[in-house]
Amino acid sequence: MVKINIAKMNYKITVLPGDGIGVDVTREAVACMKTIGKKFGHDFAFEEHLMGGCALDKVGVPLPDETLKAALDSDAVLLGAVGGPQYDNNPPKLKPETGLLALRAGLGVFANLRPAFLHETLIDASPLKADIVRGTDLLIVRELMGGAYFGQPRELTDERGLNTMAYTVPEVERVARVAFEAARLRRKKLHSIDKANVLESSQLWRKTVVRLAAEYPDVELHHGYVDACAMQLVMRPTDYDVIVTENLFGDILSDEASVLTGSIGLLPSASIGGKVGLYEPIHGSAPDIAGKGIANPIGTIASAAMLLRYSCKLETEARLLEDAITATLKAGYGTPDLKGQPNRVTTTEMGDLIRKYVESN
Ligand code: NAD
Ligand code: IPM
Ligand code: MN
């Protein structure tokens, strides 16, 4: 019998625009995926659901059951951002951010890949001196389902707030493997970042990474403390290739790394390791610019490219979308956060320019 392999061409994508600029940037990324679909003959079926503050407003919970169910039943999830000042004093269960953590845990995505790459053309958008940032190209692998974000016990009373930072060996091993494998495909250098001089969870983290390193003799492994790493990142960013670190440290270091590239609005992420991948820019709902039509959509469009790569296995399509971003930046276009770009555009105009490149290349 002849076995015929028919490449899958239909993909079900759950779209969670969320709050604030999440809505604007997700719209652009979805439109880019539609353009890619049309060009290459793929059928992306997008299904939008409530998540975050908008879900709290409409149905009273940040992650409705039907949203998680739809997400689990799809090929990938594309998320904008959640949160807003009106929810900041909500009890923990009724915070938009709690919904996001529940989504990550519900999907089982324990490894969050956050690439920070400086486009040569944006060298003046970075607040750092050109000779320091030139050549920055790093990947933060952030643990996403453990640490202080999820550790028990946790509680909030009138007198006390409590969180627990805990890691088990399997939790460290699985994310460290993702990082070692990623390093193998890059420049084969891995920095494991912890606070092992103080924290027991970090001591276990380091011991586990050291043990695993024996399986990856081709990867050069370094260890560093998170405080020193925060400093080195802005002093010698090109020293880094892949960084693997726990949840909270990864959250902080990735915002810092985004500044090297010119704007937090540029950085995408892919959360993998579970049944369904989750793709979101690293930034938040940006209440200060929400509703103004000026948010940078590139982080979300680049997240869509990661979705094409990791969840749909469409490497050519992912590359084309990334090339479109690079070319549009090179042509001098930029939303107002990209200082030094001569051609200032809105969120939608930026999306349109990227789509035009996709159509004609
Ligand atoms: P933020 O990332 O929303 O904004 C920080 C700064 O960066 C702001 O000045 C903002 O205008 C700017 N910025 C962010 N994204 C941008 C973009 N795409 N284009 C141009 N400028 C951009 O962080 P914040 O202000 O600390 O948080 C706001 C809310 O977002 C909070 O409720 C927070 O909990 C939430 N948040 C959500 C996510 C998420 O959904 N993944 C991530 C981070 C923060
Ligand atoms: C991020 C955000 C989230 C996090 C919040 C909104 C829960 O800051 O995705 O970086 O801390 O993980
Ligand atoms: Mn963050």
Side-chain angles (χ1 to χ4, degrees):
M1 201 174 76
V2 182
K3 203 172 159 195
I4 302 171
N5 261 336
I6 301 172
K8 182 174 167 169
M9 289 190 298
N10 302 311
Y11 302 90
K12 207 158 131 188
I13 313 292
T14 299
V15 181
L16 309 174
D19 309 317
I21 63 165
V23 178
D24 310 344
V25 294
T26 308
R27 188 185 301 125
E28 296 312 317
V30 167
C32 286
M33 285 188 67
K34 284 184 179 159
T35 305
I36 290 275
K38 205 167 156 197
K39 182 170 179 129
F40 291 88
H42 307 302
D43 179 15
F44 297 112
F46 298 98
E47 204 180 285
E48 206 170 296
H49 286 272
L50 291 172
M51 158 84 196
C54 61
L56 277 165
D57 294 344
K58 293 222 173 83
V59 295
V61 290
L63 178 65
D65 288 345
E66 60 140 15
T67 298
L68 180 57
K69 203 166 161 284
L72 281 166
D73 189 38
S74 56
D75 292 298
V77 182
L78 182 69
L79 173 92
V82 300
Q86 65 272 46
Y87 313 106
D88 283 351
N89 296 317
N90 282 12
K93 281 204 167 102
L94 297 180
K95 286 173 89 66
E97 293 82 356
T98 306
L100 180 52
L101 300 194
L103 176 67
R104 290 169 178 170
L107 295 176
V109 287
F110 60 81
N112 180 221
L113 314 184
R114 297 187 159 191
F117 167 77
L118 174 67
H119 292 268
E120 179 69 24
T121 176
L122 292 183
I123 215 138
D124 294 326
S126 171
L128 271 78
K129 293 194 178 80
D131 57 333
I132 290 183
V133 282
R134 181 169 288 116
T136 294
D137 179 6
L138 58 92
L139 171 71
I140 296 180
V141 179
R142 170 189 178 193
E143 199 292 321
L144 205 60
M145 281 177 60
Y149 278 61
F150 290 93
Q152 293 292 340
R154 67 188 293 167
E155 77 170 12
L156 176 63
T157 67
D158 286 342
E159 285 77 38
R160 195 167 82 125
L162 169 70
N163 292 99
T164 303
M165 189 187 272
Y167 273 104
T168 63
V169 170
E171 281 175 324
V172 180
E173 273 179 359
R174 64 184 183 177
V175 71
R177 274 192 197 286
V178 170
F180 275 112
E181 300 286 346
R184 264 191 177 159
L185 297 175
R186 293 174 50 101
R187 301 192 301 277
K188 299 189 171 52
K189 195 170 168 188
L190 177 62
H191 281 81
S192 174
I193 300 302
D194 59 40
K195 188 71 188 171
N197 50 345
V198 177
L199 303 174
E200 282 76 4
S201 59
S202 280
Q203 283 156 29
L204 182 103
W205 178 284
R206 192 176 283 214
K207 210 169 115 188
T208 306
V209 173
V210 167
R211 184 162 14 85
L212 212 58
E215 293 179 36
Y216 300 90
D218 50 325
V219 176
E220 182 186 317
L221 175 65
H222 301 260
H223 301 276
Y225 298 133
V226 63
D227 47 355
C229 176
M231 180 190 70
Q232 303 281 14
L233 256 182
V234 286
M235 277 177 58
R236 284 192 291 275
T238 53
D239 274 6
Y240 293 98
D241 177 16
V242 179
I243 291 174
V244 62
T245 191
E246 70 92 49
N247 204 342
L248 181 59
F249 300 160
D251 179 44
I252 298 166
L253 293 178
S254 55
D255 268 30
E256 188 189 11
S258 79
V259 174
L260 304 168
T261 72
S263 167
I264 192 170
L266 294 167
L267 254 58
S269 87
S271 302
I272 58 169
K275 186 173 168 281
V276 179
L278 169 65
Y279 302 85
E280 46 174 324
I282 79 152
H283 63 75
S285 56
D288 54 336
I289 57 164
K292 295 187 177 161
I294 55 166
N296 190 340
I298 289 180
T300 316
I301 296 172
S303 300
M306 294 182 92
L307 184 160
L308 294 170
R309 172 171 297 121
Y310 294 112
S311 284
C312 305
K313 314 283 178 220
L314 297 173
E315 180 61 28
T316 305
E317 289 81 342
R319 285 255 170 107
L320 178 59
L321 195 47
E322 287 165 350
D323 288 350
I325 293 170
T326 304
T328 308
L329 291 171
K330 209 168 167 194
Y333 295 102
T335 40
D337 53 308
L338 297 176
K339 310 274 178 271
Q341 288 292 84
N343 306 321
R344 188 159 284 197
V345 291
T346 64
T347 308
T348 309
E349 286 166 346
M350 185 57 118
D352 280 341
L353 287 158
I354 291 169
R355 286 185 287 278
K356 281 215 181 79
Y357 181 96
V358 168
E359 276 162 5
S360 54
N361 284 275

